[in-house]
Amino acid sequence: MKKRVMGFLLVCLLAFGLAGCGADKPEVVVDQFLTAVKEGDYEKAGEYVVSEDGSKPFNFDELNEDMKGLDTDEFLKALRSKYDFKSPEEVSSEGDTAKVKANITSVDFADAFTATMEDVFAEAMTMAESGETDSADAEAELEKMMWETLNEKLSADDAKTATRDITFNLEKNKDGEYKILADENFEEAMIANIDTLEEELGE
């Protein structure tokens, strides 16, 4: 009888142990995500992220959905230029949610975008003086120049970087796995100082 009871308890302990070890801890999920970003493996990075409401997988194409005409592949390649981070740490956990802080360094998007607009404005003034800005072709040329210049400035060797502390919000899915929510904090982790730029632009 005792052997049967001990055997039953052992099975229960193993079951609970396996259930507890089945999912990665929140800080491990963030570490794996940031490592994938740093290595440029956005397909793998996407496996750790879901939409802000947790209802669907995240598509990295959404990062530049408001920048029509921008080459997504080149943009993502530029974003990981000089990307680095320090080991993430869990700061809180409650129920199915958790918060993980990480110190991240990457190219300063706001600085690169501001410099890009200065160059485009100068070119637009030159075109205006020569009467070349009144056509659809001229507008398309300026737009193309803007996105190409932005990617160049983001990936330049002397591109300015920004270091900031980001708190990722994570939530367990139906399988009990922690996923990073693609909220404003996540966007700031990918696009440095995007909030500052949006405030300056009044958005």
Side-chain angles (χ1 to χ4, degrees), residues 13-196:
L13 286 172
L14 284 172
F16 282 119
L18 288 173
C21 297
D24 288 326
K25 293 181 179 180
E27 63 269 29
V28 173
V29 172
V30 173
D31 186 272
Q32 291 173 335
F33 164 74
L34 293 174
T35 298
V37 170
K38 184 177 178 179
E39 294 174 349
D41 190 347
Y42 288 102
E43 182 176 353
K44 183 177 181 181
E47 296 175 1
Y48 304 106
V49 189
V50 292
S51 59
E52 187 170 0
D53 62 4
S55 64
K56 60 180 182 179
F58 178 76
N59 187 333
F60 274 91
D61 288 346
E62 296 176 29
L63 276 178
N64 64 325
E65 62 182 355
D66 295 328
M67 295 179 273
K68 306 300 181 184
L70 179 62
D71 186 309
T72 299
D73 290 338
E74 289 299 317
F75 180 60
L76 292 176
K77 181 179 178 181
L79 282 183
R80 76 179 182 89
S81 173
K82 303 182 181 181
Y83 203 96
D84 202 4
F85 68 95
K86 294 180 181 178
S87 297
E89 296 180 2
E90 180 182 322
V91 293
S92 67
S93 178
E94 183 177 352
D96 290 337
T97 65
K99 293 181 181 295
V100 174
K101 181 180 289 187
N103 183 266
I104 298 173
T105 298
S106 63
V107 177
D108 190 331
F109 179 83
D111 182 77
F113 188 84
T114 299
T116 295
M117 294 310 295
E118 291 175 355
D119 288 356
V120 173
F121 180 75
E123 179 62 20
M125 291 298 292
T126 300
M127 293 175 69
E129 291 174 359
S130 60
E132 298 178 12
T133 58
D134 297 329
S135 68
D137 288 342
E139 185 177 336
E141 183 179 338
L142 283 174
E143 184 177 4
K144 180 182 179 182
M145 173 191 172
M146 178 171 65
W147 298 135
E148 289 179 348
T149 303
L150 177 60
N151 280 336
E152 288 173 2
K153 291 188 179 298
L154 286 171
S155 55
D157 290 338
D158 60 350
K160 181 181 176 181
T161 60
T163 299
R164 64 271 187 215
D165 288 324
I166 300 295
T167 299
F168 291 91
N169 293 302
L170 294 88
E171 190 174 277
K172 283 184 180 179
N173 62 14
K174 58 183 178 61
D175 297 319
E177 300 171 328
Y178 278 106
K179 298 294 182 181
I180 299 168
L181 300 181
D183 55 14
E184 291 182 356
N185 290 8
F186 166 79
E187 188 176 47
E188 176 63 27
M190 293 301 305
I191 309 177
N193 288 329
I194 184 65
D195 288 345
T196 301

